[in-house]
Amino acid sequence: MTDTHCHLGSSRFTDEELPALIENAREAGVKRLITLATGEDDLERNLAIAGCFPEVHACIGIHPCDVHTCRDDFETLLEPHLSNPKVAALGETGLDYYHPAPEGWSEEDYHARQRDFLRRHFELASKAQLNVVIHTRDRKGCASLDDALEIYADYQDSVRAVFHCFPGPYAAAQKVLMNEGYLSFTGIVTFKNARDAVDAARKVPLERLMVETDSPYLAPVPHRGKRCEPAYVRETAKAIAEARGMDFEDFIAATEQVVGEFFRC
Ligand SMILES: [Zn+2]
């Protein structure tokens, strides 16, 4: 099984504990981990971790909440690594209309910079023949998802995108599916109040579905509230397999196939 989205480069994981975290994952059957960079600060660390551990692969990108701290020409940061065989995709990029704009920025300018960065991640991905991992989040409604889909539409012929940490509802998933996109689900599907996420995870075709932890965030039940780690992706996979009425091993085999097609790993 693969944890398709974790942040091993987060300051909440120290270098000393990484071998144990990866061993915990292996014991839980999680044999492949994809760690995502979010900005200038954690790019090198994520690449170093992927370089150190055979089971870890990295995605490189600028998170929408980091666009204001990143240099304008972020391509110069990412380009040298695109041919690194441990780089599995571009990301984490996307649009975040949930968090307030940072000091000195209007919401309008902040979101415009996010859209510009997202488009340029697609440009890079298209050139490098890699796919893209996308974050979208709204206070209410789905403007960030809609705007991201509009940008994605211009690159659909050459690049695939996964919309990660998908919260539902299924109607929103359908928009992604119609655009040839993928959906990835976190431990949210194990939360009692997450009916929309479970419903979407139950209905999305298997060939477009992946599972992830987004660790250190969003630990699934029974670890909810604790720091999340890649081993816990097993709980998320179990919950979705159960909701779909599927044998666990069959579910894993199907998602592994998707991971192999989507990521260069
Ligand atoms: Zn993330």
Side-chain angles (χ1 to χ4, degrees), residues 17 84 105 148 158 208 220 253:
E17 65 185 329
N84 177 342
W105 286 77
S158 53
R208 302 282 194 86

Side-chain angles (χ1 to χ4, degrees), residues 5-7 36 38 63 92 133 135 164-165 212 214-215 217:
H5 193 119
C6 56
H7 297 283
L36 284 93
T38 56
H63 192 285
E92 179 167 357
V133 181
H135 161 115
H164 108 93
C165 193
E212 58 164 302
D214 204 14
S215 48
Y217 315 105

Side-chain angles (χ1 to χ4, degrees), residues 35-173:
T35 183
L36 284 93
T38 56
E40 243 179 304
D41 287 350
D42 69 351
L43 176 69
E44 291 299 333
R45 183 161 186 236
N46 278 288
L47 287 166
I49 295 168
C52 265
F53 298 95
E55 49 279 269
V56 180
H57 302 260
C59 294
I60 56 174
I62 312 300
H63 192 285
C65 297
D66 287 290
V67 293
H68 61 294
T69 61
C70 185
R71 65 179 80 170
D72 291 336
D73 61 340
F74 71 87
E75 287 92 342
T76 58
L77 216 59
L78 306 186
E79 251 162 357
H81 305 293
L82 292 173
S83 58
N84 177 342
K86 287 314 282 284
V87 169
L90 269 288
E92 179 167 357
T93 175
L95 304 175
D96 189 303
Y97 298 170
Y98 176 85
H99 291 97
E103 224 188 292
W105 286 77
S106 70
E107 248 169 38
E108 216 179 14
D109 289 347
Y110 189 42
H111 297 171
R113 186 169 170 92
Q114 293 181 6
R115 287 190 293 271
D116 175 50
F117 271 47
L118 174 58
R119 182 171 288 283
R120 286 158 57 197
H121 278 80
F122 271 113
E123 286 288 340
L124 271 185
S126 174
K127 265 193 257 164
Q129 292 184 290
L130 289 168
N131 290 327
V132 177
V133 181
I134 295 185
H135 161 115
T136 62
R137 194 168 176 195
D138 290 282
R139 272 170 225 154
K140 64 171 197 238
C142 53
S144 68
L145 176 69
D146 291 342
D147 288 355
L149 282 171
E150 203 180 308
I151 294 169
Y152 173 33
D154 291 340
Y155 298 91
Q156 236 165 263
D157 292 341
S158 53
V159 183
R160 290 284 166 264
V162 62
F163 289 76
H164 108 93
C165 193
F166 195 71
Y170 181 62

